[in-house]
Amino acid sequence: MDSLVYMDAVITPNRSLSQRGFVVLISIVTAFNVAAAAVFLSMGAHFVPLFLGLDLLAVIAAFLASYAAARRVERVLVTSREIRVVQETPASSELVWESPTAFTRVAVEIEDERVVDLRLRVSGKERPLAQALSPAERRDFAKALETAIWRAKRGD
């Protein structure tokens, strides 16, 4: 690609729980489940500990799925010729949108002064963008994207 790059943004999902926090949380849930299992076993309810174990496995599976989703990023590249959106994981990269910069528009849906949806549009096609961002971050990203497209069209 020989054209000038006006934006190269990588959008990563927000995750509030670190690996250490995950270990602490699972330890607390495990301790609670073991204590509850002991109480139910003493009462003669022998199947309840099995369900508590399944509960713990479900929590672990949910967090592992969340961490897997956090490794998937969205890259937005704006050049003087084209706009590209690429979904990237550690193992692969997939081009999900490509359009000419001159004809691409940014569509922003606002509710209660919050940006709830951001899309790229061209010739009847559209692509949602920056879904991993909060409304405030999405608003700032929309402004930066519109500025990059405007600059790319002008050739600044």
Side-chain angles (χ1 to χ4, degrees):
M1 198 180 320
D2 57 352
S3 54
L4 188 62
V5 175
Y6 291 90
M7 174 185 268
D8 188 3
V10 177
I11 300 169
T12 58
N14 295 321
R15 295 294 182 256
S16 60
L17 191 63
S18 66
Q19 291 287 59
R20 183 172 184 224
F22 171 72
V23 170
V24 170
L25 178 68
I26 293 303
S27 299
I28 291 170
V29 171
T30 302
F32 175 78
N33 281 0
V34 167
V39 169
F40 283 113
L41 278 175
S42 70
M43 295 170 49
H46 298 289
F47 289 109
V48 173
L50 294 174
F51 289 108
L52 290 172
L54 288 175
D55 174 55
L56 180 62
L57 290 176
V59 170
I60 291 171
F63 275 102
L64 292 178
S66 174
Y67 287 130
R71 289 189 297 269
R72 194 172 354 173
V73 299
E74 184 176 41
R75 179 180 294 271
V76 180
L77 183 70
V78 178
T79 67
S80 58
R81 291 184 177 182
E82 64 188 2
I83 299 174
R84 296 175 139 215
V85 179
V86 179
Q87 296 285 333
E88 296 177 350
T89 64
S92 68
S93 179
E94 177 187 2
L95 179 66
V96 294
W97 175 273
E98 187 173 36
S99 63
T101 303
F103 301 108
T104 305
R105 302 289 176 255
V106 177
V108 178
E109 184 179 332
I110 299 174
E111 286 182 11
D112 299 328
E113 298 181 20
R114 296 180 331 139
V115 175
V116 295
D117 192 35
L118 173 63
R119 294 178 179 269
L120 290 174
R121 288 188 179 156
V122 65
S123 301
K125 295 185 335 183
E126 60 181 33
R127 165 87 178 130
L129 196 59
Q131 299 298 305
L133 299 179
S134 69
E137 292 170 328
R138 203 174 295 133
R139 179 194 64 232
D140 294 341
F141 181 75
K143 287 179 185 176
L145 180 60
E146 287 173 333
T147 301
I149 292 172
W150 179 77
R151 288 182 59 223
K153 287 178 183 177
R154 285 190 54 214
D156 286 347

